[in-house]
Amino acid sequence: MTTGELPTALEQAGDLPESLRETLSGHYYTDPEIFRLEQEHIFEAGWFCAVLSADLAKPGQFETVQIGRESVLVTRGRNGAIKAFLNVCRHRGARLCTEEKGEVRRSFQCPYHAWTYSFDGALIAAPNLGAMEDIDRTQYGLHQVHVREWLGYVWLCLAEEPPSFEDTVIGDVSARLGTPDAIVGYQVADLKLGRRIEYDVKANWKQIVENFMECYHCATIHPELTEVLPEFADGLAAQYFVGHGAEFGEDVQGFTVDGSEGLEKLPGVSEEQDRRYYAITVRPQVFINLVPDHVVFHRMFPLTAERTLVRCDWLYLPDVVDSGTDIDRSVELFHRVNQQDFDACERCQLAMDSRAYADGGVLVPSEHHISEFHDWVRERIG
């Protein structure tokens, strides 16, 4: 419990055994006001993983991304650099681009009054603009958003002064793996998208984070995963130990749905990392799964207090994708894990407004590390 926070009913009654810790109370997962605070103080204040860089291969290609309460337009400029702007025309506030993705040839034009912007966000044309000589076209350009590319993805921050990328994003990876160098050998930025699956999950985003962080549920709902990673059946997730990777079973050949042989090992994966699975949570909305022959990269897009879009990418060596190699068995393993996890999250979400969960639930010892995530949320939303 953080300083200044009221004790739960369980703590007031002195009924919480030492082996158990409190969770967030149920209204944290349903209250629109709490979700608004999370939008403002978490998603709009920190770094948010928005787009796979390769999806914006050419100048003029764009995606629109919802980050907190803001729609953000992400594009590639003529010089090859990624740019991002609030998706709002500076004239009367019309939504500039309503499509989720697309491509423009020369500029972005507002369909309302035809104010037109370059790929760098500058105002370049508008009806009668030549007669308004006092207008600074740069000043009335689109509102820019901070951009950082890492691991082959575009990360955005809406804050005027963004937090340190090294301390937050890279810091989360370092805290899990023990060193930021441990992810280097997977060469994530050089991999190619082999498959993408989107999941519309009827659950609060925190349900999904908590589920990904623990494996107390693995023996119950993940039969395929525990066949490949037998230690998960004991309830301790890979994220429970700093630097630990869950070892493949003795008879398992690869990270596939049936444990059969996988694909060519990524060249930079060390001998210590071979035949192991590593899971990383990058707060607030990214999960990275590392195995010897591919990487599974989840991005969450919280839409409401009770609905979250999860976009999951399976990344492989370019030769694997370009040659048309069959990747179905490796994709199927984590696809099933996702379906099983999201079904469980939705089952929990149904009870968050129940009087039985008004004071929350409990965490067993193998889940105690989730308390740090709960404290992180509480601290940010006050």
Side-chain angles (χ1 to χ4, degrees):
M1 187 170 66
T2 56
T3 304
E5 186 179 320
L6 292 174
T8 66
L10 279 173
E11 290 173 322
Q12 289 174 329
D15 291 335
L16 200 63
E18 288 187 10
S19 61
L20 299 180
R21 292 186 184 176
E22 65 170 324
T23 68
L24 295 173
S25 56
H27 76 285
Y28 271 83
Y29 303 86
T30 61
D31 189 334
E33 176 59 20
I34 286 181
F35 184 67
R36 188 197 66 77
L37 291 171
E38 292 169 344
Q39 288 178 307
E40 179 180 357
H41 298 292
I42 294 178
F43 306 120
E44 297 172 19
W47 289 99
F48 190 100
C49 187
V51 175
L52 177 66
S53 297
D55 287 344
L56 302 176
K58 299 186 299 182
Q61 287 185 320
F62 70 88
E63 285 195 24
T64 55
V65 180
Q66 190 70 28
I67 301 178
R69 298 162 298 177
E70 296 285 358
S71 174
V72 180
L73 171 64
V74 190
T75 190
R76 190 175 294 277
R78 299 196 185 282
N79 64 354
I82 295 287
K83 295 285 187 177
F85 315 96
L86 297 185
N87 189 16
V88 178
C89 179
R90 293 297 305 277
H91 173 221
R92 295 270 296 281
R95 179 65 54 88
L96 193 61
C97 293
T98 56
E99 303 91 346
E100 183 178 312
K101 59 180 61 178
E103 183 175 349
V104 295
R105 293 184 60 187
R106 297 185 180 86
S107 57
F108 294 98
Q109 186 175 83
C110 178
Y112 191 8
H113 294 94
W115 278 41
T116 305
Y117 304 89
S118 72
F119 295 161
D120 292 329
L123 176 65
I124 56 175
N128 306 318
L129 185 60
M132 296 178 278
E133 297 179 358
D134 57 337
I135 291 183
D136 184 326
R137 299 190 184 199
T138 300
Q139 182 182 352
Y140 284 90
L142 299 174
H143 287 287
Q144 296 206 30
V145 171
H146 298 283
V147 174
R148 180 79 179 259
E149 288 189 78
W150 191 57
L151 300 180
Y153 284 83
V154 177
W155 305 69
L156 307 176
C157 184
L158 275 59
E160 287 190 22
E161 294 293 333
S164 165
F165 192 87
E166 287 70 23
D167 291 346
T168 54
V169 175
I170 298 177
D172 275 355
V173 174
S174 303
R176 166 66 189 94
L177 298 180
T179 167
D181 299 331
I183 200 172
V184 171
Y186 291 88
Q187 300 171 311
V188 185
D190 298 325
L191 302 182
K192 192 168 184 177
L193 181 67
R195 189 76 53 83
R196 173 174 292 156
I197 301 177
E198 293 188 354
Y199 308 86
D200 192 340
V201 187
K202 296 178 181 63
N204 183 273
W205 68 280
K206 297 187 293 299
Q207 296 274 14
I208 301 172
V209 173
E210 294 161 15
N211 172 277
F212 187 75
M213 292 181 70
E214 55 92 359
C215 212
Y216 189 48
H217 67 275
C218 287
T220 307
I221 70 172
H222 294 321
E224 299 88 356
L225 185 63
T226 53
E227 281 290 323
V228 175
L229 305 173
E231 68 183 74
F232 275 13
D234 295 331
L236 291 175
Q239 295 189 73
Y240 186 81
F241 308 100
V242 174
H244 176 72
E247 191 171 2
F248 292 5
E250 288 184 10
D251 298 328
V252 170
Q253 295 178 283
F255 196 75
T256 58
V257 70
D258 54 4
S260 58
E261 186 176 0
L263 304 164
E264 178 186 352
K265 187 178 77 170
L266 304 176
V269 171
S270 69
E271 184 177 346
E272 292 76 17
Q273 294 169 324
D274 195 14
R275 292 183 55 78
R276 289 185 179 272
Y277 161 83
Y278 297 85
I280 307 160
T281 300
V282 181
R283 296 168 296 186
Q285 45 83 241
V286 169
F287 311 136
I288 306 172
N289 309 274
L290 306 172
V291 293
D293 61 349
H294 66 280
V295 171
V296 186
F297 202 104
H298 294 71
R299 288 169 287 155
M300 288 196 306
F301 298 85
L303 303 178
T304 72
E306 302 188 69
R307 182 176 167 226
T308 307
L309 175 68
V310 183
R311 190 166 286 146
C312 187
D313 293 344
W314 281 259
L315 307 170
Y316 299 86
L317 288 169
D319 287 348
V320 170
V321 178
D322 294 341
S323 65
T325 300
D326 185 0
I327 60 174
D328 285 350
R329 286 177 294 113
S330 65
V331 170
E332 182 63 22
L333 175 55
F334 226 96
H335 175 50
R336 290 192 193 182
V337 170
N338 284 338
Q339 290 176 313
Q340 293 155 353
D341 279 339
F342 300 152
D343 178 71
C345 292
E346 291 181 347
R347 184 180 294 268
C348 288
Q349 187 68 33
L350 292 172
M352 290 300 100
D353 273 333
S354 169
R355 69 185 69 182
Y357 209 77
D359 293 317
V362 293
L363 302 171
V364 301
S366 63
E367 303 170 300
H368 281 182
H369 58 293
I370 297 175
S371 292
E372 190 273 337
F373 169 64
H374 291 164
D375 290 343
W376 182 87
V377 171
R378 289 186 184 105
E379 179 184 346
R380 275 150 185 77
I381 67 172

